[in-house]
Amino acid sequence: AQPKIENRANRLDFERLWVFSAGIHKFENDHLHPGRQAVVYQDLGLIKSLIKQGVKIERIVALLDQDATRENCRKELTALLQGSKKGDSLLVFAHSHGSANRGGLICTYETGGVWEFADLIEIIENNFNGSRACICVCACHSGSLIDQI
């Protein structure tokens, strides 16, 4: 039997969802231990599932490995959020190595590249016009993200 959902008004509207994904599993000059290849497929599986649920492709930015430099992540997220409107939702998913340094960060593709959680939050606060945002970080020390919110 299908579970009954009491309050459908709060249910996520996938057609109004914006998605930013950065999966960094290989690193320039192998300066960090590479992630498992299976995780790349999990990241792509998440995107495919969201599309099946009704997320419009033009509302998705998915950066992988060499495309996920700090500057490119910042630029692409900022550009994506320009189209958001009141009532929209945002899912940010980042998968990489992480650190608690500087208030928390994830490692980007380039050697020495990092994206601080404070900067990620600032980009969302300054550019997202929607109503709800969910940030999922799969990295060591990702719990330090909560201190930035």
Side-chain angles (χ1 to χ4, degrees):
Q2 192 87 338
K4 186 175 180 184
I5 298 173
E6 293 297 325
N7 188 353
R8 291 192 182 269
N10 290 325
R11 192 170 175 184
L12 181 61
D13 182 352
F14 286 98
E15 291 183 6
R16 299 202 57 195
L17 180 64
W18 298 85
V19 178
F20 178 85
S21 173
I24 305 103
H25 311 286
K26 293 179 185 173
F27 299 89
E28 181 180 55
N29 300 322
D30 294 325
H31 69 282
L32 291 172
H33 178 70
R36 293 175 296 132
Q37 188 65 28
V39 178
V40 174
Y41 297 115
Q42 290 171 353
D43 290 355
L44 297 174
L46 170 67
I47 299 299
K48 286 180 182 178
S49 294
L50 291 169
I51 292 169
K52 284 182 183 177
Q53 291 296 322
V55 177
K56 299 172 186 169
I57 279 191
E58 59 271 12
R59 290 176 171 241
I60 299 173
V61 170
L63 302 177
L64 186 62
D65 296 335
Q66 67 273 7
D67 292 329
T69 63
R70 178 183 184 274
E71 285 310 310
N72 203 34
C73 286
R74 297 181 83 250
K75 179 184 79 166
E76 292 292 335
L77 177 59
T78 301
L80 177 71
L81 298 180
Q82 299 308 305
S84 63
K85 299 193 178 353
K86 185 177 180 182
D88 288 349
S89 297
L90 170 66
L91 171 62
V92 173
F93 181 77
H95 194 177
S96 183
H97 288 291
S99 171
N101 293 339
R102 295 187 262 181
L105 55 85
I106 60 167
C107 298
T108 52
Y109 172 76
E110 68 277 25
T111 303
V114 297
W115 194 10
E116 297 171 358
F117 293 150
D119 185 49
L120 170 63
I121 298 296
E122 184 176 320
I123 290 170
I124 294 169
E125 287 178 341
N126 292 337
N127 296 282
F128 183 56
N129 301 307
S131 304
R132 296 185 282 185
C134 176
I135 304 169
C136 300
V137 176
C138 185
C140 288
H141 305 285
S142 59
S144 58
L145 175 62
I146 199 72
D147 295 332
Q148 301 300 322
I149 297 175

